[in-house]
Amino acid sequence: MLENKEILESIDVNGEPPTDETAKQYYYMVKAANYVEEESKEAGRKLTYFVQNFGCQMNARDAEKLSGVLKKIGYEEAFDENADFVIYNTCTVRENANLKVYGRLGYLNGVKKKNSHMKIGLCGCMMQEPEVVEKIKKSYRHVDLIFGTHNVFKLAELLVTMYESKRTVIDIWKDTDKIVEDLPMERKYKFKSGTNIMFGCNNFCSYCIVPYVRGRERSRNPKDIIREIEKLVGDGVVEVMLLGQNVNSYGKTLDEPMSFAELLQEVEKIEGLERIRFMTSHPKDLSDELIEVMANSKKICRHLHLPLQSGSSKILKDMNRRYDKEKYLALAKKIRNAIPDISLTTDIIIGFPGETEEDFQDTMDVVRQVEFDNAFTFIYSKRTGTPAAVMENQVPEDVAKDRFNRLLKEVQAIARKRAAVYENTVQEILVEETNEQDPEMVTGRMSNNMLVHFKGGADLIGTLQKVKLKECKGFYYLGEM
Ligand code: SAH
Ligand code: SF4
Ligand code: F3S
């Protein structure tokens, strides 16, 4: 990373911080590194960090940014909460995501009492909710640092403030139009990586908190995206996942607008890159151009995640999804016709306010007609501040649970049937890791995202292998090289 080195060499920590945001954060990294070194001497050992991530791929990518800065300033990675700096990167999309964080924070209080060097940081989507921050200030006073989703890039600067003040440091931004490039990142996998192509969301689906905690939609400059992927490929990455809450509206707000399909074509040209994935597609914005580009591509994976949320046109209207049952069905059909070997997966919410048995049957009907290869099913969770939270006719829990169970059964039966069609075919597998149960086996993924286990050593990790799929085990395969 030549640019970083140049920046680092030009930094004078005794002078004023630079005005360029990237350079400024490197300036604070140097300063923070001094504090970490001091404390490390005091402790008589290397200091360690642990980032626990909750929530979606977007958060996972942010966690890599946090790790990147922490490594750069001298912390070593730890793999559980017995660390000197623990950060929870939180999610608030459903109530149980929040409850998990409170539970673990309680436990951390005890851990901290045994380690005088320990610091605790909280960031991510939950922190964008003022009530959450109030609650933490009041009831979880052992937290040292709180920041949000818009200023993740500022971690080094916040750490310096934390070291210099003895109080809890809180810095939450309501929104931002800023995108800070070229900061360090510590990737979880050597051979695959996520890349943000956009941030935020403008869709305001009526149940969803994301637009409130992630701010307005903004796209990254295509040149920055391509440059980042080229660098990743130079570093050994063969699969990239383009990330955004609604990738189909990529580029609309750029000075020189560009469609998502056009961006994909640019990414496809990158030599050495083998696989391209993306998440998430909103059905209302999925273009014919995109279907065509996918059908003709050699690198775009045979997988499309297309959240349905509900099969009832009435519920979809109340959800503010801006498509109806017929439109979704027609779109799914068009995609399956154009790309026959594609795996279609989806998200479904059960128990949205006002959902009747008839509405639920519409959802079941779409599930049966489309035959999703997999579906993530959720029971509706009321998020304070969203329009759906104050809607009448909230569905009783037992009714929602019963529908949820019926849906799950249907979804799983269809997924099993869909998975079985690959038996005895030869597929290209990207090997991801040594098998957790059997160290003589490795685990990898097909282009359509299906997991395959087969005999092989760790030297295969990160390579593409032709594998014969011998036995379908429901949601995964056992194969042979
Ligand atoms: N941007 C993505 C989704 C991000 S949230 C999209 O538009 O598809 C991931 C999933 O969580 C959503 O697809 C939805 O199914 C679910 N979800 C969001 N809010 C929820 C809520 N209040 N209750 C239950 N599930 C919810
Ligand atoms: Fe939430 Fe809808 Fe935006 Fe997805 S598109 S993040 S569900 S508001
Ligand atoms: Fe959760 Fe935030 Fe992602 S609320 S799902 S981590 S955008």
Side-chain angles (χ1 to χ4, degrees):
M1 284 229 233
L2 193 71
E3 298 111 296
N4 295 351
K5 215 171 145 199
E6 277 169 12
I7 297 173
L8 279 174
E9 276 165 6
S10 67
I11 283 172
D12 166 18
V13 272
N14 299 315
E16 288 290 305
T19 44
D20 171 73
E21 192 60 57
T22 304
K24 185 168 157 193
Q25 291 311 315
Y26 277 94
Y27 163 94
Y28 282 112
M29 277 178 239
V30 176
K31 274 198 142 176
N34 292 338
Y35 286 119
V36 173
E37 200 183 333
E38 246 171 64
E39 180 145 22
S40 170
K41 270 192 197 134
E42 242 173 71
R45 57 183 166 80
K46 276 264 185 189
L47 296 186
T48 57
Y49 78 89
F50 175 63
V51 179
Q52 175 68 51
N53 193 55
F54 300 87
C56 65
Q57 307 267 1
M58 226 76 61
N59 252 24
R61 189 65 178 149
D62 283 347
E64 294 185 338
K65 296 175 188 171
L66 300 171
S67 293
V69 170
L70 290 168
K71 274 231 164 123
K72 194 124 219 141
I73 64 175
Y75 279 102
E76 271 181 8
E77 189 172 8
F79 297 93
D80 60 29
E81 274 116 330
N82 290 304
D84 299 298
F85 191 50
V86 172
I87 299 192
Y88 288 161
N89 189 25
T90 61
C91 169
T92 185
V93 77
R94 284 171 292 274
E95 180 70 23
N96 52 10
N98 295 45
L99 297 177
K100 255 189 245 164
V101 170
Y102 290 127
R104 292 178 73 148
L105 266 183
Y107 158 77
L108 271 194
N109 197 13
V111 182
K112 193 174 181 184
K113 284 194 176 122
K114 289 185 217 134
N115 178 2
S116 61
H117 299 284
M118 187 172 184
K119 303 266 190 303
I120 298 171
L122 291 175
C123 60
C125 296
M126 250 175 101
M127 301 306 127
Q128 293 296 136
E129 297 179 278
E131 321 78 74
V132 170
V133 175
E134 279 314 305
K135 179 167 171 167
I136 289 164
K137 276 204 298 207
K138 221 161 90 207
S139 313
Y140 299 87
R141 306 186 65 145
H142 52 295
V143 174
D144 302 277
L145 173 62
I146 302 175
F147 56 105
T149 57
H150 302 300
N151 52 352
V152 171
F153 70 88
K154 238 182 113 175
L155 175 63
E157 186 177 345
L158 293 168
L159 284 174
V160 169
T161 315
M162 182 183 84
Y163 272 110
E164 289 174 356
S165 77
K166 296 281 168 235
R167 303 175 38 201
T168 306
V169 175
I170 302 178
D171 188 10
I172 315 275
W173 298 4
K174 274 210 151 68
D175 201 351
T176 184
D177 52 9
K178 208 166 177 155
I179 297 178
V180 185
E181 299 286 348
D182 294 320
L183 290 173
M185 279 190 225
E186 178 69 24
R187 271 182 295 117
K188 197 167 161 209
Y189 296 97
K190 246 200 106 46
F191 56 89
K192 67 169 184 178
S193 176
T195 296
N196 302 100
I197 63 167
M198 57 207 299
F199 300 92
C201 181
N202 285 353
N203 286 310
F204 291 94
C205 302
S206 64
Y207 50 81
C208 185
I209 193 92
V210 172
Y212 304 90
V213 296
R214 285 275 170 179
R216 294 294 60 72
E217 182 182 297
R218 54 216 179 271
S219 294
R220 262 178 95 191
N221 198 315
K223 285 201 190 75
D224 290 327
I225 298 170
I226 300 293
R227 197 162 50 102
E228 181 177 293
I229 301 174
E230 282 172 346
K231 217 189 233 166
L232 289 168
V233 170
D235 252 16
V237 164
V238 290
E239 177 180 301
V240 69
M241 163 94 84
L242 309 179
L243 299 171
Q245 293 298 353
N246 176 15
V247 293
N248 295 333
S249 69
Y250 171 79
K252 288 186 180 155
T253 52
L254 289 170
D255 292 340
E256 290 169 52
M258 179 184 209
S259 71
F260 179 54
E262 284 165 345
L263 176 72
L264 277 174
Q265 285 167 291
E266 290 305 310
V267 176
E268 174 115 15
K269 287 184 199 148
I270 297 175
E271 229 168 286
L273 182 67
E274 307 271 2
R275 281 183 169 183
I276 305 168
R277 299 186 184 278
F278 54 84
M279 272 254 234
T280 298
S281 275
H282 195 306
K284 80 176 164 62
D285 297 315
L286 197 140
S287 65
D288 289 349
E289 187 196 7
L290 176 65
I291 299 175
E292 198 189 316
V293 167
M294 283 185 84
N296 294 328
S297 166
K298 293 207 169 53
K299 295 185 179 174
I300 302 174
C301 287
R302 281 357 205 181
H303 177 208
L304 186 67
H305 187 63
L306 194 63
L308 166 69
Q309 312 301 7
S310 169
S312 151
S313 294
K314 174 183 154 280
I315 296 293
L316 284 169
K317 187 159 192 291
D318 292 345
M319 284 179 162
N320 191 28
R321 290 290 288 180
R322 286 171 275 174
Y323 54 85
D324 58 16
K325 180 182 179 186
E326 281 63 41
K327 213 168 149 199
Y328 188 96
L329 283 172
L331 182 61
K333 203 170 190 181
K334 191 155 50 167
I335 295 164
R336 286 235 199 259
N337 282 339
I339 317 166
D341 57 344
I342 202 161
S343 157
L344 267 183
T345 59
T346 202
D347 291 347
I348 297 169
I349 299 175
I350 287 300
F352 181 84
E355 184 190 73
T356 61
E357 178 62 26
E358 202 188 333
D359 295 318
F360 172 68
Q361 286 307 331
D362 272 328
T363 300
M364 291 287 263
D365 185 38
V366 176
V367 165
R368 287 184 195 116
Q369 287 199 47
V370 176
E371 299 203 311
F372 292 108
D373 295 77
N374 200 358
F376 297 99
T377 49
F378 307 105
I379 289 186
Y380 167 72
S381 171
K382 196 193 233 183
R383 306 319 285 136
T384 309
T386 62
V390 290
M391 284 181 189
E392 283 165 20
N393 304 323
Q394 299 277 333
V395 175
E397 209 181 304
D398 54 331
V399 175
K401 272 224 169 97
D402 172 62
R403 286 179 194 158
F404 180 86
N405 291 337
R406 283 185 280 155
L407 172 70
L408 194 64
K409 229 167 122 190
E410 190 72 40
V411 158
Q412 288 182 340
I414 293 170
R416 270 201 199 91
K417 185 181 118 193
R418 295 272 318 166
V421 303
Y422 297 100
E423 206 154 74
N424 288 319
T425 62
V426 174
Q427 302 285 339
E428 201 165 47
I429 308 296
L430 176 60
V431 184
E432 301 205 331
E433 55 203 358
T434 303
N435 190 289
E436 275 171 25
Q437 267 101 50
D438 182 351
E440 308 221 314
M441 310 255 289
V442 288
T443 300
R445 275 174 206 277
M446 281 165 57
S447 169
N448 74 5
N449 216 28
M450 174 103 62
L451 281 176
V452 180
H453 308 287
F454 61 98
K455 206 167 187 127
D459 53 312
L460 296 178
I461 293 174
T463 65
L464 284 159
Q465 298 294 334
K466 290 247 180 330
V467 175
K468 174 129 190 207
L469 306 187
K470 302 287 259 193
E471 195 188 344
C472 182
K473 290 283 200 183
F475 304 107
Y476 64 90
Y477 268 98
L478 294 179
E480 213 173 76
M481 239 165 95

